[in-house]
Amino acid sequence: MYRTSVELHFLNVGHGDCTFVDLPSGRLMMVDINNSKSLPEGDVIALAERHGVSTLDFRYSRLLKGARSWQEYYNSLLVDPFDYYTEHFDGRSIFRYVQTHPDMDHMSGLHRFFWQEEVRLENFWDVDHNKDLKEADFNSSPHSYLDWLVYKSLRSGIGPNHSSHKVIRNLRGATGQYWTDDGIEVFSPTAELIMACNTKGAYNDCSYVLKISYGGRSVILPGDAEKPAWESLLENPGTEALDCDILKAPHHGRQSGYHAKAATAMDPEIVVVSVGEKPETDASDEWKALGAWVLSTRYNGTIRVQMDFDGEVFVHNHEGREIAHLDPLK
């Protein structure tokens, strides 16, 4: 099955990330997973402010049309990754799952998706880190120890019912038949970035940073990359390589993921923000100052980006309404 477009589905999963990428080769790619069932408190505050109501009214007051409150409405926009997969990609294997880095808001849901529902997995991309968690670390945590256990099994190449898959730990510049054919470039991590993360016990800067190109357009998926990663990227592969049309905002669109020189080098026309929590640290104004459309899953629900073979780009919200568009390239 060959397509004439790349489709990226940026799921609205609350505080976390999950992206499906449907490639022209027919391969289905998945980057991170999260399965939030309710709005983070920061989203409640931000959305209440957007609608000019108190957080109490946001939670409990009924809308003029219909019986739901604003909170119930926005909760309804959250999607479970497996439910979304079933609706849009049912029966297809995940050719490439990319675990950008080992933080739980990027892997919550692994247990249900791959273990309980047994979605077929062919390749598991992982980072060679030293992070380890114990069951006690999940006391009073919104995350599940089962997801961590499944992650450890998947990164060892073992799936449910003793199935197996290939484990790939790519570093910057790695090439290979399948991801190169799919227009994917590996910009990060490097061995040095991973070593620094292992030393600090903080793992954002060992995130996979990937660039996908098609039809003369490109998108960068940077995980939670922060200042050290961006400074490394500015040096290699360099400012010219970082140029892109579409960017998934690093670290959920927070200022900690915004690096002015890297942002100028990327110069995206469209920035998709997968948000949750801490709206006061949001860097949307900085991205807007570069002239980009800044589109948030907080307000638009799941966002679908279609890059066509002629360079035309369509962006739709959860209702299928077009919210951004780039003309074909001449």
Side-chain angles (χ1 to χ4, degrees):
M1 179 180 65
Y2 285 86
R3 308 172 53 89
T4 57
S5 64
V6 170
E7 285 193 2
L8 300 106
H9 302 245
F10 297 94
L11 271 56
N12 180 28
V13 291
H15 178 57
D17 279 350
C18 185
T19 305
F20 284 102
V21 186
D22 203 356
L23 294 152
S25 63
R27 300 179 187 117
L28 182 61
M29 174 176 172
M30 187 176 182
V31 183
D32 291 332
I33 189 169
N34 192 55
N35 59 354
S36 291
K37 300 296 194 301
S38 60
L39 293 172
E41 181 63 21
D43 277 15
V44 170
I45 295 169
L47 289 164
E49 290 177 353
R50 179 185 177 95
H51 291 289
V53 299
S54 69
T55 55
L56 188 65
D57 285 342
F58 181 86
R59 288 189 172 97
Y60 301 113
S61 294
R62 300 295 162 179
L63 302 178
L64 293 177
K65 296 181 180 180
R68 294 185 297 183
S69 66
W70 279 118
Q71 177 156 330
E72 289 169 331
Y73 168 71
Y74 280 104
N75 272 337
S76 75
L77 301 188
L78 293 167
V79 298
D80 177 274
F82 178 73
D83 293 341
Y84 192 90
Y85 162 84
T86 301
E87 181 179 353
H88 294 86
F89 311 112
D90 194 28
R92 295 174 62 182
S93 66
I94 302 298
F95 180 82
R96 178 186 302 112
Y97 176 87
V98 179
Q99 189 64 62
T100 58
H101 64 297
D103 284 352
M104 292 305 302
D105 58 328
H106 292 255
M107 66 173 73
S108 290
L110 283 176
H111 176 252
R112 182 188 177 196
F113 196 90
F114 289 114
W115 226 256
Q116 291 184 312
E117 305 296 348
E118 297 186 25
V119 177
R120 185 181 169 213
L121 173 64
E122 298 185 47
N123 298 279
F124 188 85
W125 286 35
D126 189 41
V127 175
D128 191 17
H129 61 82
N130 66 1
K131 183 174 182 177
D132 195 18
L133 296 175
K134 306 301 181 185
E135 188 170 8
D137 295 321
F138 290 83
N139 293 339
S140 303
S141 168
H143 305 295
S144 169
Y145 184 49
L146 280 175
D147 286 318
W148 180 256
L149 292 177
V150 167
Y151 167 63
K152 289 178 68 175
S153 184
L154 293 174
R155 75 189 304 250
S156 72
I158 301 173
N161 299 317
H162 306 290
S163 61
S164 62
H165 50 266
K166 187 173 183 179
V167 176
I168 295 173
R169 293 189 173 94
N170 278 331
L171 296 175
R172 176 179 295 161
T175 58
Q177 179 181 355
Y178 296 109
W179 63 89
T180 301
D181 290 351
D182 281 335
I184 300 170
E185 297 174 82
V186 182
F187 281 0
S188 203
T190 64
E192 292 76 16
L193 286 168
I194 295 173
M195 184 181 300
C197 287
N198 285 338
T199 300
K200 293 185 297 182
Y203 299 91
N204 286 342
D205 286 313
C206 67
S207 291
Y208 272 110
V209 178
L210 306 176
K211 183 176 184 178
I212 304 175
S213 300
Y214 181 74
R217 300 288 191 182
S218 61
V219 56
I220 289 181
L221 307 175
D224 281 358
E226 297 183 331
K227 183 178 178 180
W230 289 118
E231 291 184 347
S232 176
L233 286 159
L234 285 166
E235 182 177 341
N236 180 21
T239 56
E240 186 174 340
L242 287 175
D243 181 62
C244 66
D245 302 283
I246 303 152
L247 172 71
K248 184 202 154 298
H251 205 188
H252 314 287
R254 295 180 192 166
Q255 290 175 351
S256 58
Y258 181 85
H259 188 285
K261 289 184 179 178
T264 300
M266 288 186 284
D267 192 27
E269 295 191 59
I270 297 168
V271 176
V272 177
V273 185
S274 177
V275 294
E277 296 186 348
K278 300 184 180 178
E280 69 275 9
T281 65
D282 182 74
S284 291
D285 288 344
E286 286 85 344
W287 293 112
K288 289 175 183 176
L290 293 176
W293 265 307
V294 179
L295 307 172
S296 167
T297 59
R298 175 183 284 143
Y299 307 119
N300 292 286
T302 292
I303 294 172
R304 182 172 62 86
V305 176
Q306 177 180 317
M307 298 192 303
D308 282 352
F309 71 97
D310 60 358
E312 190 167 14
V313 176
F314 302 90
V315 185
H316 297 89
N317 69 2
H318 75 283
E319 298 174 321
R321 179 170 57 85
E322 186 174 294
I323 53 176
H325 176 260
L326 300 180
D327 291 331
L329 297 172
K330 297 180 180 179

